[in-house]
């Protein structure tokens, strides 16, 4: 069972780490113990788990670069969907100024991400 209380990614990584440690201390591998290719199968299985762990680490690093744009709570964007709704909103100068502020904040956030990626 995966404990995902701290997120599915961390829970999955913890589970794989637990399985890998359990495999390292396991002495009895059942029929693989006597199999001609048993050692090879065990080694490949452990290698696969390690690759999965590495992939999870890569995903976590990628997630660190994700930027969540500042959430807007004072405007109901669901009321700005149709062309008619947008035309009415465009006549409200205060709303237009607020939307410009939001777009500039988002632009600044996106621009900073671009600088971060370029600086690698």
């Amino acid at each position: 069972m995966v404990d995902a209380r701290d997120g599915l990614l961390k829970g999955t990584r913890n589970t794989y780490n637990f399985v890998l440690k359990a495999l390292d201390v396991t002495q009895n591998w059942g029929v693989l113990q006597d199999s001609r290719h048993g050692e090879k199968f065990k080694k490949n299985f452990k290698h696969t788990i390690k690759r999965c762990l590495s992939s999870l680490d890569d995903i976590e690093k990628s997630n660190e670069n994700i930027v969540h744009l500042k959430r807007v709570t004072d405007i109901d964007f669901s009321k700005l969907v149709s062309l008619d709704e947008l035309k009415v909103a465009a006549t409200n100068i205060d709303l237009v100024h607020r939307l410009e502020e939001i777009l500039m904040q988002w632009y600044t956030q996106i621009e900073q991400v671009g600088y971060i990626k370029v600086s690698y």
Side-chain angles (χ1 to χ4, degrees):
M1 183 181 308
V2 174
D3 180 357
R5 287 178 285 189
D6 293 327
L8 186 58
L9 182 64
K10 185 175 182 179
T12 303
R13 187 180 332 107
N14 289 342
T15 300
Y16 277 127
N17 274 322
F18 176 80
V19 169
L20 192 59
K21 289 176 186 174
L23 293 175
D24 285 339
V25 298
T26 298
Q27 300 298 316
N28 184 356
W29 283 77
V31 294
L32 282 179
Q33 204 80 10
D34 301 325
S35 170
R36 188 173 100 178
H37 300 290
E39 282 302 313
K40 181 179 176 182
F41 289 140
K42 290 189 288 187
K43 184 178 177 181
N44 286 342
F45 185 58
K46 288 180 183 180
H47 178 72
T48 300
I49 291 176
K50 288 177 183 176
R51 281 190 12 220
C52 288
L53 282 166
S54 178
S55 294
L56 291 172
D57 289 339
D58 291 343
I59 291 169
E60 184 175 37
K61 287 176 187 170
S62 294
N63 284 344
E64 290 172 1
N65 292 328
I66 293 175
V67 172
H68 297 280
L69 298 177
K70 184 178 180 202
R71 179 175 229 103
V72 177
T73 58
D74 60 325
I75 295 178
D76 185 0
F77 287 100
S78 69
K79 295 182 180 174
L80 299 172
V81 178
S82 72
L83 182 58
D84 289 334
E85 292 167 331
L86 292 172
K87 286 179 182 179
V88 170
T91 64
N92 181 338
I93 195 72
D94 292 332
L95 178 59
V96 170
H97 284 299
R98 178 66 183 121
L99 290 170
E100 287 174 346
E101 289 173 2
I102 293 166
L103 288 174
M104 289 309 296
Q105 289 173 348
W106 288 348
Y107 172 79
T108 301
Q109 285 181 274
I110 292 168
E111 188 177 47
Q112 289 173 351
V113 172
Y115 290 138
I116 291 170
K117 288 185 179 180
V118 170
S119 67
Y120 276 109

